[in-house]
Amino acid sequence: MAPNDPKNGGGGGGSGFFASLASSISSLGSAMTKSVNGLVGYEGLEVINPEGSTEDAAEEANRGRWKQEDRDGYWKMMQKYIGSDVTSMVTLPVIIFEPMTMLQKMAELMEYSHLLDMADETEDPYMRMVYASSWAISVYFAFQRTWKPFNPILGETYEMANYNGVNFISEQVSHHPPMSAGHAENEHFTYDCTSKLKTKFLGNSIDVYPVGRTRVTLKRDGVVLDLVPPLTKVHNLIFGRTWVDSPGEMIMTNMTTGDKVVLYFQPCGWFGSGRYEVDGYVYNANEEPKILMTGKWNESMSYQQCDGEGEPLPGTELKEVWKLADAPKDDKYQYTHFAHKINSFDTAPKKLLPSDSRLRPDRYALEMGDMSKSGYEKSSMEERQRAEKRTREEKGQSFTPKWFDITEEVTPTPWGDLEVYQFNGKYLEHREAADKSEENTDPKSIPFNPWQFQDMST
C-alpha cells in the first residue's frame, strides 16, 4: 500500500513558514487519555503516556521533574493563562529549562547539512527534494526534547564557525513579539530564517505555532526551497511525563520549478501507535507523485520511485536516505553529540561576539548545576531588559538589529502576518576582520553584553 493517497496529499504549499493544517489539532483526540483522580484541581485534565497503558495514568501524574509543592504552586499561577499565548508574558522557573537558548536550537538544523550539499550536487530534480526534505525532518529528534530553551535577550546572538564548512549566525531581532533571524552558508547553500513563536496554553499542554519563514537557496542552480512544517504540541507540562508530538503536514516547495514534497506526520494514537511515523510523496509541478517517502523522524527516512498512482515501481526498492546519528545514552538533557558541540566553545569563532548565547550567566550556571544562581541571573537579565525598554521609550528610540535588516516584505501565515528580516552581510565583514586579528582572548572570560545602554543600576 502507498503511504497516502497522492490525490489528497498533493495540496497545500503556501509561503508561510511552519504553517500546518488546523485539522491536525482535532486528530489528537484519538491519543490515549485518562482523567487524574486524587489530585485536587486537576480533575479532567489529560495525562498521556504514549509508551504506556490506560492503567498507569495516576502513576504518570506523579512523575516528572517537578516536586509536588512546585507543581501545585505553578498550576495555581498558570490557570489564569489557559487559552492564552504565553510566549513572552510569563516568568518561568529554571527547573524546566535546558542550558541552551532558542538561537542555539535554531543552529541544530545544521547537524545534517550534508543532505543540503547532496541536494545541491544532484542533477535529479526529485532526488533534490528527497535530500532537502530529509534534512528538514532530521531536526525533529532534537525538537522532541522536553526541556525548554531560554528565550534570547533582545540583541543576543549565536555564532557557529566552520562546522563541516558551515558558518551560522542568529540574532534576537524583537522581544515583543519574540522574533529571531538566522543565516547559514557554505559552498553549496544559504539558509535564511525569520521565526516568530506563538503559543496557546491549554492547561497541562501547549500548542506551539512557530510562525515564520525559512528559505534555502541551492547555489549551483539558484534553486530556492520554501519550508512549511507542522505545529508542535507539548503534553504534560506540569504533571505527568512530558512528551512532544508534531502532527500534521510538512510541505517543502521548489519555488523555482514548482516541484514539492508533502509529508504527513502521524499523530500519536493509542498505546503510542503511529508516533514518529512520516509518510508522503515528492510531486512534480503538475502534482503527479514521483517518489514516495516513508520512515520515522526519530530513526531514519527512506525513498522509492513510484508510478502516477503512488505505487512503487516494479524493480525498484526502498533506499535509506537519512539515519539518526548515535546519541549519548541517559543524557540529562537528552542532548545529541551535536547539541553538546553547539553548547561548547569548540564551535565558537575567534573573537566571539560578547552577545553570544554561550556567555549568558543564567545558561552557564544551569549547565554547571547551580539552579539558585541560574534563577537569580535569569531574573536580573529580564529586569535589565525591561529597564532598557523603558529607556528606549524615554529616548524615543527603537531597537535596530546589527546583522539583519527588516524588509518591507510581509508574509501572510495562518496565524497572522510576519515581518521578514534579511541577512545584511555586515557579519561577514566583522568576521573577516576578527579572523585577521592577532588578538587572542579566552572567550569564557568575555562578559555577556547584548545591551544597548549602560547598566544604570551600577
Side-chain angles (χ1 to χ4, degrees), residues 123-198:
E123 296 183 0
D124 186 324
Y126 308 124
M127 284 304 301
R128 173 183 292 146
M129 303 304 288
V130 169
Y131 292 131
S133 60
S134 296
W135 161 79
I137 288 172
S138 68
V139 77
Y140 276 83
F141 181 79
F143 283 177
Q144 74 169 333
R145 291 201 301 267
T146 57
W147 305 88
K148 183 190 181 305
F150 285 96
N151 289 338
I153 298 295
L154 185 62
E156 184 175 330
T157 58
Y158 175 74
E159 302 176 83
M160 183 176 69
N162 196 28
Y163 175 80
N164 288 346
V166 176
N167 292 301
F168 177 94
I169 176 70
S170 57
E171 182 177 12
Q172 190 73 359
V173 296
S174 172
H175 180 57
H176 288 293
M179 293 183 67
S180 308
H183 175 84
E185 189 167 353
N186 71 358
E187 62 178 325
H188 290 287
F189 69 87
T190 59
Y191 158 89
D192 291 283
C193 172
T194 302
S195 177
K196 177 169 68 174
L197 290 181
K198 183 177 180 180

Side-chain angles (χ1 to χ4, degrees), residues 61-343:
N62 289 288
R63 300 179 72 163
R65 66 194 68 142
W66 297 70
K67 294 180 181 178
Q68 183 67 47
E69 56 270 24
D70 295 332
R71 198 161 52 213
D72 292 343
Y74 195 65
W75 170 242
K76 290 178 182 178
M77 183 189 80
M78 293 297 291
Q79 279 180 311
K80 62 183 178 182
Y81 294 112
I82 291 178
S84 302
D85 183 353
V86 294
T87 305
S88 58
M89 61 188 291
V90 179
T91 299
L92 301 172
V94 294
I95 192 173
I96 69 172
F97 283 81
E98 61 177 317
M100 181 182 286
T101 73
M102 284 297 299
L103 297 178
Q104 292 173 282
K105 200 149 187 171
M106 287 175 68
E108 290 196 71
L109 264 168
M110 295 298 114
E111 178 168 8
Y112 299 94
S113 61
H114 69 277
L115 291 168
L116 291 180
D117 297 345
M118 296 169 71
D120 183 55
E121 292 171 341
T122 184
E123 296 183 0
D124 186 324
Y126 308 124
M127 284 304 301
R128 173 183 292 146
M129 303 304 288
V130 169
Y131 292 131
S133 60
S134 296
W135 161 79
I137 288 172
S138 68
V139 77
Y140 276 83
F141 181 79
F143 283 177
Q144 74 169 333
R145 291 201 301 267
T146 57
W147 305 88
K148 183 190 181 305
F150 285 96
N151 289 338
I153 298 295
L154 185 62
E156 184 175 330
T157 58
Y158 175 74
E159 302 176 83
M160 183 176 69
N162 196 28
Y163 175 80
N164 288 346
V166 176
N167 292 301
F168 177 94
I169 176 70
S170 57
E171 182 177 12
Q172 190 73 359
V173 296
S174 172
H175 180 57
H176 288 293
M179 293 183 67
S180 308
H183 175 84
E185 189 167 353
N186 71 358
E187 62 178 325
H188 290 287
F189 69 87
T190 59
Y191 158 89
D192 291 283
C193 172
T194 302
S195 177
K196 177 169 68 174
L197 290 181
K198 183 177 180 180
T199 63
K200 186 175 183 180
F201 180 62
L202 301 173
N204 197 35
S205 66
I206 190 168
D207 289 347
V208 181
Y209 307 92
V211 182
R213 191 186 76 173
T214 192
R215 295 279 171 86
V216 173
T217 301
L218 302 179
K219 291 186 173 181
R220 192 188 68 166
D221 296 329
V223 166
V224 178
L225 305 177
D226 179 79
L227 178 64
V228 185
L231 60 78
T232 294
K233 295 184 72 73
V234 184
H235 299 270
N236 296 352
L237 286 174
I238 302 173
F239 56 92
R241 184 185 302 165
T242 306
W243 62 283
V244 180
D245 201 16
S246 297
E249 283 186 337
M250 170 187 283
I251 301 173
M252 176 175 278
T253 304
N254 185 327
M255 307 292 286
T256 308
T257 66
D259 301 334
K260 65 181 176 182
V261 183
V262 181
L263 298 173
Y264 182 69
F265 285 56
Q266 297 283 349
C268 181
W270 285 89
F271 306 105
S273 66
R275 194 181 183 203
Y276 312 116
E277 293 180 6
V278 182
D279 300 293
Y281 292 93
V282 176
Y283 297 89
N284 64 15
N286 296 322
E287 298 195 356
E288 299 166 335
K290 291 296 182 180
I291 299 178
L292 67 84
M293 297 182 65
T294 185
K296 294 185 176 183
W297 51 259
N298 68 332
E299 290 182 7
S300 65
M301 287 297 296
S302 298
Y303 70 94
Q304 187 172 2
Q305 276 73 26
C306 65
D307 60 23
E309 298 299 319
E311 298 295 335
L313 288 175
T316 64
E317 60 182 13
L318 206 60
K319 297 181 180 179
E320 188 175 81
V321 63
W322 164 77
K323 184 177 181 179
L324 184 73
D326 291 338
K329 295 185 182 300
D330 301 321
D331 190 86
K332 179 177 181 179
Y333 292 106
Q334 304 162 335
Y335 277 2
T336 63
H337 291 294
F338 183 67
H340 281 290
K341 290 180 180 178
I342 284 178
N343 227 16

